[in-house]
Amino acid sequence: MTDNSNRKPSITTRVAQALRFIEAETGAVVPSIQPAATYARDENYDIRKPYFYRRDGNQATSHAEAIIAELEGAADSLLFASGMSACTAVIEHLPTGAHVVAPRVMYHGVLHQLQTYAANGRITLDYYTAGNLAELAEAVARQKPTLVWVETPNNPNWEVTDIEAASKIAHDVGAKLIADCTATPPNMTRALELGADISFHSATKYLNGHSDITAGVLSVREIGPYWDEIVLIRKLQGTVLHSFDAYMLIRGMRTLFLRVEKCCKNAMAVAKHFEGHKHVEVVHYPGLPNDPGHEVSKRQTNGQFGGMLSIVVAGTEQTAIDVARFCEVFYPATSLGGVESLIEHRKTVSGVGFPVHPRLLRLSIGIEDADDLIYDLEQAIARAVS
Ligand SMILES: *Cc1c(COP(=O)(O)O)cnc(C)c1O
């Protein structure tokens, strides 16, 4: 028999067991929720570490962070009350006058936040087209940025940016690179291993997977002074994830591998079905061999292609809105990464001025029966064009 004495269970096993959690006092295999806002000092009037006050965090949040750090291969992970509060902490920690290079098309909330800081004179901002490394290199050489922002695959076009190549471009000028890989959670993309300095996920999405909390997480390869600043911003702004939401996140993450596998399979079936469809002009999905991001995605997303895709329907903008309205299985709701499928007319949601095709429908594919999803879109399209 082979000697397995040093064998460590795989990441799939470790995440399913929430890092083999057994509560010391009780033997409970599920972590408890500690709602305290304050913690008593000890008999010497010293602070009992690690928590002092609610804004420092709590044990369920630390536990969820440990699971994500393991998924990411990170030195440390930090959970926030939303993805936006995590991204805002990164923008906030930049020195006044810092240059940032970001995609022209990306998650609208983060873009809005970057543009607001730029409009207020706190940072300067320059753009590149997501997935276009030549444009990125050119913007980086011109701006000598402090931070390069990558979102891959990006919202809502699912263009793929090569994280490894983008990291080299950033590091050549001494910039740090943050990778928003919300659409491909860390069981698919391990951004830190590909060279990113900070990996960001809206944990509202796949990590939690049940559309019942908001959360955001930053993970880093190395701990340094800039990380200490981000930790301090979370503490002083009180944007730490609360214990109950951290508990929900841990519960959600236990099935991450299962859920993501099914979402990816379903998304591939939907994408293949509607590619070349009479009433669908384009299917944006990196899993399709003809998609411009296919080759990089194959390397970068662990052989799966994610549960997110967009379709551009033929007809008018109203046709697209009607398809979203007429669905009976897909929910006409924003967000993504949950077990239930969502359809969204992105232009209605992104706001004025955001560059998005007026007939684009963003689909977050859940874990339902793929045939039900395909049938639902078919009937909605048929009604919308009739
Ligand atoms: C949802 C999302 C965010 C923002 O996260 P919230 O949890 O909604 O605050 C950032 N980036 C991407 C790609 C997202 O999908």
Side-chain angles (χ1 to χ4, degrees):
M1 230 180 102
T2 44
D3 177 13
N4 278 343
S5 52
N6 289 324
R7 193 178 185 281
K8 192 181 166 194
S10 73
I11 186 73
T12 315
T13 302
R14 291 178 57 69
V15 172
Q17 297 193 346
L19 306 184
R20 184 124 190 107
F21 179 81
I22 302 172
E23 193 175 68
E25 301 84 53
T26 63
V29 299
V30 170
S32 45
I33 303 169
Q34 176 45 261
T38 191
Y39 296 80
R41 288 169 177 260
D42 69 11
E43 59 279 10
N44 301 315
Y45 206 66
D46 287 329
I47 288 168
R48 281 183 233 252
K49 291 196 166 149
Y51 314 114
F52 172 62
Y53 187 58
R54 188 170 186 146
R55 281 192 277 106
D56 297 316
N58 61 79
Q59 65 213 62
T61 302
S62 299
H63 187 168
E65 287 169 344
I67 296 171
I68 296 169
E70 184 121 340
L71 275 163
E72 292 271 25
D76 200 12
S77 295
L78 209 55
L79 271 163
F80 290 74
S82 70
M84 280 311 302
S85 55
C87 291
T88 303
V90 172
I91 303 169
E92 181 67 31
H93 103 285
L94 294 169
T96 296
H99 297 291
V100 177
V101 172
R104 245 178 274 285
V105 177
M106 66 189 295
Y107 179 76
H108 67 119
V110 177
L111 186 64
H112 179 85
Q113 198 70 317
L114 287 167
Q115 288 172 340
T116 302
Y117 273 67
N120 291 338
R122 268 281 275 115
I123 60 168
T124 60
L125 186 59
D126 201 1
Y127 302 101
Y128 68 99
T129 303
N132 188 329
L133 293 172
E135 249 188 59
L136 174 64
E138 203 259 320
V140 166
R142 194 173 60 238
Q143 292 286 358
K144 305 277 184 302
T146 311
L147 185 68
V148 170
W149 208 291
V150 165
E151 181 181 315
T152 182
N154 75 328
N155 249 287
N157 300 329
W158 317 113
E159 288 152 322
V160 178
T161 301
D162 185 329
I163 297 171
E164 199 171 1
S167 299
K168 287 201 184 100
I169 292 169
H171 294 160
D172 275 351
V173 298
K176 287 202 159 33
L177 184 128
I178 179 168
D180 178 346
C181 298
T182 295
T184 54
N187 56 325
M188 295 179 67
T189 301
R190 282 162 65 102
L192 302 177
E193 281 177 3
L194 296 168
D197 301 282
I198 310 175
S199 172
F200 162 74
H201 287 270
S202 165
T204 309
K205 316 293 169 55
Y206 287 101
L207 285 169
N208 180 56
H210 294 76
S211 308
D212 51 9
I213 63 161
T214 63
V217 64
L218 301 172
S219 301
V220 282
R221 204 152 25 92
E222 283 169 30
I223 295 171
Y226 82 100
W227 186 239
D228 298 337
E229 276 175 45
I230 291 172
V231 172
L232 189 63
I233 290 170
R234 185 185 77 167
K235 177 179 167 130
L236 295 182
Q237 294 188 335
T239 49
V240 64
L241 188 69
H242 287 179
S243 49
F244 183 73
D245 287 351
Y247 167 79
M248 297 289 274
L249 177 58
I250 293 167
R251 182 178 158 113
M253 286 193 293
R254 285 170 177 261
T255 56
L256 176 70
F257 285 78
L258 259 184
R259 286 185 285 104
V260 166
E261 195 181 320
K262 179 77 164 147
C263 291
C264 291
K265 260 196 201 146
N266 279 355
M268 184 67 96
V270 173
K272 280 189 174 153
H273 180 89
F274 288 98
E275 193 187 25
H277 188 280
K278 185 163 67 158
H279 297 296
V280 174
E281 270 173 23
V282 193
V283 177
H284 295 296
Y285 185 59
L288 295 173
N290 291 333
D291 190 273
H294 186 66
E295 289 307 316
V296 178
S297 193
K298 256 202 236 170
R299 288 204 302 276
Q300 187 163 282
T301 58
N302 200 20
Q304 296 170 300
F305 298 98
M308 294 305 300
L309 61 120
S310 293
I311 58 174
V312 176
V313 297
T316 64
E317 184 172 344
Q318 190 57 45
T319 316
I321 294 170
D322 286 346
V323 172
R325 280 199 309 136
F326 295 157
C327 280
E328 290 166 6
V329 177
F330 281 84
Y331 288 90
T334 196
S335 199
L336 61 96
V339 291
E340 66 287 298
S341 294
L342 309 177
I343 185 166
E344 174 171 85
H345 180 246
R346 197 62 185 160
K347 191 181 157 203
T348 305
V349 174
S350 305
V352 188
F354 188 85
V356 58
H357 195 292
R359 286 181 276 119
L360 182 140
L361 291 168
R362 189 181 84 172
L363 308 179
S364 172
I365 304 293
I367 64 166
E368 305 95 330
D369 189 315
D371 287 344
D372 288 339
L373 300 176
I374 290 168
Y375 180 84
D376 191 37
L377 282 169
E378 281 285 11
Q379 68 78 25
I381 291 170
R383 257 182 90 187
V385 301
S386 69

